[in-house]
Amino acid sequence: MNYFVNEKGYYGDFGGAYIPEMLYPNVEELRQNYLKIIGDADFQKEFHHLLKDYVGRPSPLYLAERLSKRYNANIFLKREDLNHTGAHKINNTIGQILLAEKLGKKRIIAETGAGQHGVATATVCALRGLECVVYMGEIDIQRQAPNVARMKMLGAKVVSAVSGSKTLKDATNEAMRDWINNPVDTHYIIGSVVGPHPYPDMVSIFQSIISEETKKQLIEQTGNDQPDYVLACVGGGSNAMGMFYHFINDENVKLIAVEAGGKGVDTGFSAATTFLGKEGVLHGSRSILMQTADGQVVEPHSVSAGLDYPGIGPQHAHLFKTTRAEYVSITDDEALDAGLLCTQMEGIIPAIESAHALAYLEKMKFTGGENVVVCLSGRGDKDMDTYMKHFGF
Amino acid sequence: MNRITKVFKEKKNNILSIYYTAGYPGLGDTIAIAAALEKAGADMLEIGFPYSDPVADGPVIQASSKQSLDQGMDLNLLFEQLKELRKTVTIPVLLMGYVNPVLQYGVERFCKACAEVGVDGCIVPDLPMVEYEEFYKDTFLKYGLSNIFLVTPETSVERIHKIDSLSNGFIYLLSSSATTGQNLQVSDTTAAYFSRIAAMELNNPTMIGFGISSKETFDKACNYANGGIIGTAFVKSLPSGNLEENIETFMAKFRA
Ligand SMILES: Cc1ncc(COP(=O)(O)O)c(C=O)c1O
């Protein structure tokens, strides 16, 4: 079974490039060049130099002892929260900004939900001196205020997306419209493994550093590069794809993708795409998305802005359909509780997105001795407001 | 002969095509608008079926789509309404919209429904050419539907020839790479692009769209192509007042 992209830009039934003609030249330029540019020795040197000295990689793989005792397994946390800017998102933006430079682009646009990708994009634009415009849903601007301030301080222009549900999906629409209107000098840094081919593949390649390091770290710490389980939360799916990447062909390693169940999968307030979605096309690729019978995209709900998206990347749809990975869901309340638990047992305040992955540990049964890696995709600073309101601190 | 082919055969120039969103401003206005447009001198119609995430559209068509959806429009209802189309309307009619509603409705079922109500063709901007060729073309042809492709100033010569070979109706030239609703500015580079296309002597006729809002811009478009398509400017003229009067007033400017 091939779990990776084929020469036509598909993962099984999913993927492709469903884009209007206005975007064709841009996407085609990327498609023709991305592998060549990324594979170039100078590019690799610069990319790894920045990941090491600027982002602070490798991120630690930390054996969380108290959580391990609680769950009767060896719980390893892959600490993407310790990256510069506080999440995994910067792995991708470093890669894409270097690529944009190689393509001669002068202006960068991005969409953001939680604001982590927006901050990571604004950061690399400041680093390289490029103009930056970030689209963000009006509702997310309110619930992620600290990140809005960071982006502005970094010199980015933050544009409020006021259409539709005013969250991540609509910010993505606005970014695509901007790209249509600025086709020549602008590069669109998509923040997850979504969008038309080659974006899902390109973003997963940049994020694959997560599992590349994890394997080495597992050998050092356990003598075996194959854990029993790997868990990650899924919004569009980029931290999960980075965490799964080098384990996908290790069929003994169980991959678990945790979706945002919102108030509960059946409540009408959920973002659990594989439970509620059907095959269709959104934001340039064929995948699984939440939609009405008429093909209108449904507005999702999650307490975590980064998971509040009605689709998943096409590779996830393929991993789901082939059952290579298991897709589960965690409610808002379960995630918040897991965030508090991790904080008080390990002294790590996780992003609410990442807390979804941690929460699933409560539902697993271990016999003792299993090695379990959880991608701690980001830190919870941006979520303090939500945590404080929920727990009444 | 397909009505689209016929119109280009009979009338080679100054062909005026109007876009509007089905189910807007009133859910039940779809057919009345078509009839009034024909009466007022439109040569061809593009009826938009609304989508929740119209990435190629600017604010005006986004808003009309949203209102239409909020009022309850979907493809089932649209095809129900279109059963009345050919009782009054004789000019060519295309449906324009995004691919996901078509996929959910079912491609074959969609094409069949189009043929049954007398729709002559489709414009689906986010349906890629390779996908059309591989998975849709035979079905479109089976039901006698034209598929209309877009071309922008950035589209390569090679790709334009490929589009020409797959087209059966006309080719939709965008005045610039833009979402709908910008103003057409025929700068030197746009003029050069239009002239370059005209000089290619394509098999299919061409229509220029995106940004035509006045008689002046329409006439400019007609200098380079067989006609022009008006969308946003027309949709903007609709929301208040008497529908037929609005349409007559709007069209009078172009048919003077
Ligand atoms: C910390 C964190 N984790 C996860 C996500 C979800 O994105 P993805 O599924 O692409 O990893 C986000 C998105 O903003 C995030 O900030």
Side-chain angles (χ1 to χ4, degrees):
Chain A
M1 178 69 73
N2 177 21
Y3 297 111
F4 292 91
V5 78
N6 67 21
E7 67 289 345
K8 288 184 168 172
Y10 275 83
Y11 305 85
D13 297 335
F14 304 106
Y18 291 79
I19 45 167
E21 184 64 26
M22 298 80 104
L23 288 180
Y24 181 84
N26 280 328
V27 172
E28 181 62 13
E29 179 185 34
L30 263 186
R31 190 187 70 81
Q32 287 182 4
N33 292 298
Y34 81 110
L35 290 176
K36 210 164 41 197
I37 292 175
I38 296 172
D40 179 73
D42 286 345
F43 181 95
Q44 283 294 321
K45 204 170 140 206
E46 180 96 42
F47 180 56
H48 283 98
H49 153 66
L50 287 173
L51 287 184
K52 177 168 173 282
D53 296 331
Y54 185 71
V55 175
R57 301 203 71 95
S59 69
L61 184 72
Y62 166 68
L63 176 62
E65 288 190 11
R66 293 186 66 203
L67 286 179
S68 296
K69 207 167 265 159
R70 176 183 174 95
Y71 295 119
N72 192 30
N74 303 315
I75 309 295
F76 292 91
L77 303 180
K78 180 60 175 164
R79 300 288 310 274
E80 295 301 301
D81 61 313
L82 293 177
N83 291 339
H84 178 44
T85 71
H88 67 293
K89 297 285 181 185
I90 192 134
N91 304 328
N92 171 42
T93 60
I94 294 267
Q96 284 203 48
I97 198 91
L98 296 179
L99 196 122
E101 285 179 350
K102 293 272 184 264
L103 294 173
K105 305 291 176 176
K106 299 281 179 282
R107 179 174 173 270
I108 299 296
I109 57 172
E111 86 296 337
T112 196
Q116 288 303 115
H117 174 60
V119 167
T121 304
T123 298
V124 295
C125 287
L127 178 69
R128 307 302 280 202
L130 293 182
E131 184 189 344
C132 180
V133 178
V134 178
Y135 291 89
M136 187 167 187
E138 195 179 34
I139 291 181
D140 292 336
I141 287 183
Q142 287 158 15
R143 61 179 164 177
Q144 304 286 341
N147 275 343
V148 177
R150 291 165 82 194
M151 284 185 268
K152 287 185 177 163
M153 186 162 172
L154 286 159
K157 186 172 153 208
V158 180
V159 181
S160 169
V162 294
S163 58
S165 56
K166 305 180 174 63
T167 60
L168 183 52
K169 145 181 110 74
D170 311 284
T172 309
N173 291 340
E174 288 304 328
M176 287 192 152
R177 290 184 185 116
D178 181 312
W179 210 19
I180 287 173
N181 287 302
N182 297 285
V184 180
D185 67 338
T186 297
H187 175 69
Y188 177 17
I189 301 192
I190 296 184
S192 192
V193 285
V194 301
H197 176 70
Y199 275 101
D201 189 43
M202 178 171 75
V203 176
S204 74
I205 290 171
F206 291 140
Q207 291 294 1
S208 69
I209 186 74
I210 300 174
S211 46
E212 188 184 319
E213 288 172 5
T214 301
K215 282 202 152 192
K216 285 188 200 134
Q217 292 164 323
L218 279 170
I219 293 220
E220 285 165 18
Q221 296 183 35
T222 70
N224 183 354
D225 73 349
Q226 301 201 8
D228 297 286
Y229 297 95
V230 171
L231 282 79
C233 67
V234 179
S238 67
N239 86 89
M241 206 43 72
M243 187 74 251
F244 292 171
Y245 198 94
H246 292 285
F247 295 112
I248 287 181
N249 288 327
D250 298 343
E251 302 261 359
N252 293 327
V253 179
K254 296 190 191 68
L255 309 176
I256 299 179
V258 185
E259 297 184 338
K263 296 185 178 165
V265 169
D266 300 321
T267 60
F269 295 92
S270 177
T273 304
T274 60
F275 292 85
L276 299 168
K278 277 191 314 194
E279 293 181 18
V281 170
L282 176 65
H283 294 146
S285 64
R286 197 180 166 112
S287 185
I288 297 174
L289 58 130
M290 292 166 56
Q291 55 184 316
T292 65
D294 188 46
Q296 309 299 336
V297 182
V298 164
E299 297 177 3
H301 165 86
S302 168
V303 65
S304 91
L307 305 184
D308 203 353
Y309 185 71
I312 49 174
Q315 192 170 11
H316 280 291
H318 184 51
L319 294 179
F320 171 72
K321 197 165 177 179
T322 57
T323 71
R324 172 63 189 96
E326 185 186 355
Y327 288 73
V328 299
S329 94
I330 281 297
T331 64
D332 290 350
D333 287 351
E334 289 168 337
L336 291 162
D337 286 345
L340 182 63
L341 189 78
C342 179
T343 304
Q344 300 194 340
M345 290 188 75
E346 297 293 344
I348 298 168
I349 303 179
I352 300 176
E353 289 81 7
S354 324
H356 283 73
L358 290 167
Y360 195 67
L361 293 171
E362 290 283 333
K363 310 210 164 182
M364 295 173 74
K365 293 272 174 294
F366 299 108
T367 54
E370 289 100 330
N371 290 331
V372 181
V373 180
V374 181
C375 186
L376 204 79
S377 56
R379 58 177 173 247
D381 306 30
K382 69 184 177 60
D383 296 315
M384 285 317 296
D385 239 26
T386 312
Y387 277 132
M388 282 163 67
K389 274 197 196 113
H390 184 77
F391 293 111
F393 295 135
Chain B
M1 192 189 314
N2 174 308
R3 292 180 196 88
I4 299 173
T5 319
K6 194 156 159 260
V7 94
F8 283 101
K9 204 159 189 164
E10 287 171 357
K11 183 170 177 185
K12 299 207 160 44
N13 226 315
N14 292 319
I15 294 174
L16 176 58
S17 182
I18 305 285
Y19 168 93
Y20 67 96
T21 306
Y24 175 87
L27 182 61
D29 289 337
T30 312
I31 300 297
I33 294 176
L37 279 169
E38 174 164 356
K39 197 168 143 216
D43 298 306
M44 188 155 66
L45 302 177
E46 292 165 24
I47 304 180
F49 51 98
Y51 179 51
S52 53
D53 296 78
V55 291
D57 286 299
V60 172
I61 293 178
Q62 283 175 46
S64 67
S65 302
K66 182 166 191 311
Q67 184 172 329
S68 169
L69 286 173
D70 289 349
Q71 292 173 159
M73 181 51 74
D74 62 20
L75 276 176
N76 283 317
L77 177 61
L78 178 59
F79 283 122
E80 200 53 43
Q81 292 180 344
L82 289 175
K83 282 183 183 164
E84 305 296 314
L85 178 73
R86 290 302 172 196
K87 291 188 180 156
T88 46
V89 177
T90 65
I91 56 178
V93 171
L94 297 111
L95 292 189
M96 181 163 186
Y98 293 81
V99 71
N100 196 49
V102 177
L103 280 177
Q104 302 311 316
Y105 194 83
V107 176
E108 169 117 27
R109 190 172 158 234
F110 177 84
C111 291
K112 187 159 176 271
C114 284
E116 279 169 6
V117 298
V119 163
D120 307 287
C122 297
I123 309 174
V124 187
D126 60 342
L127 173 61
M129 186 163 69
V130 283
E131 306 284 327
Y132 172 75
E133 192 174 9
E134 219 170 302
F135 303 114
Y136 295 76
K137 190 174 146 215
D138 293 345
T139 316
F140 271 60
L141 294 181
K142 177 173 156 193
Y143 291 100
L145 293 177
S146 299
N147 184 46
I148 309 303
F149 292 96
L150 310 184
V151 161
T152 83
E154 260 74 55
T155 309
S156 69
V157 170
E158 191 191 351
R159 193 166 159 85
I160 294 172
H161 280 300
K162 173 92 189 169
I163 285 172
D164 192 34
S165 75
L166 280 175
S167 296
N168 55 336
F170 65 92
I171 293 173
Y172 195 141
L173 301 184
L174 299 196
S175 46
S176 62
S177 176
T179 44
T180 55
Q182 325 274 341
N183 280 327
L184 176 61
Q185 250 106 36
V186 183
S187 64
D188 290 350
T189 44
T190 341
Y193 146 68
F194 290 149
S195 304
R196 174 165 64 85
I197 305 265
M200 285 175 80
E201 301 192 359
L202 301 172
N203 295 320
N204 287 274
T206 53
M207 296 283 282
I208 292 176
F210 281 34
I212 299 182
S213 57
S214 62
K215 172 84 165 112
E216 192 198 348
T217 43
F218 176 69
D219 286 345
K220 264 187 205 157
C222 293
N223 285 337
Y224 298 99
N226 301 79
I229 302 164
I230 302 174
T232 299
F234 177 70
V235 173
K236 243 194 225 167
S237 78
L238 287 178
S240 57
N242 177 292
L243 204 57
E244 286 190 12
E245 276 171 25
N246 282 346
I247 292 173
E248 257 170 51
T249 314
F250 184 87
M251 292 293 289
K253 288 183 291 203
F254 295 94
R255 281 302 178 221

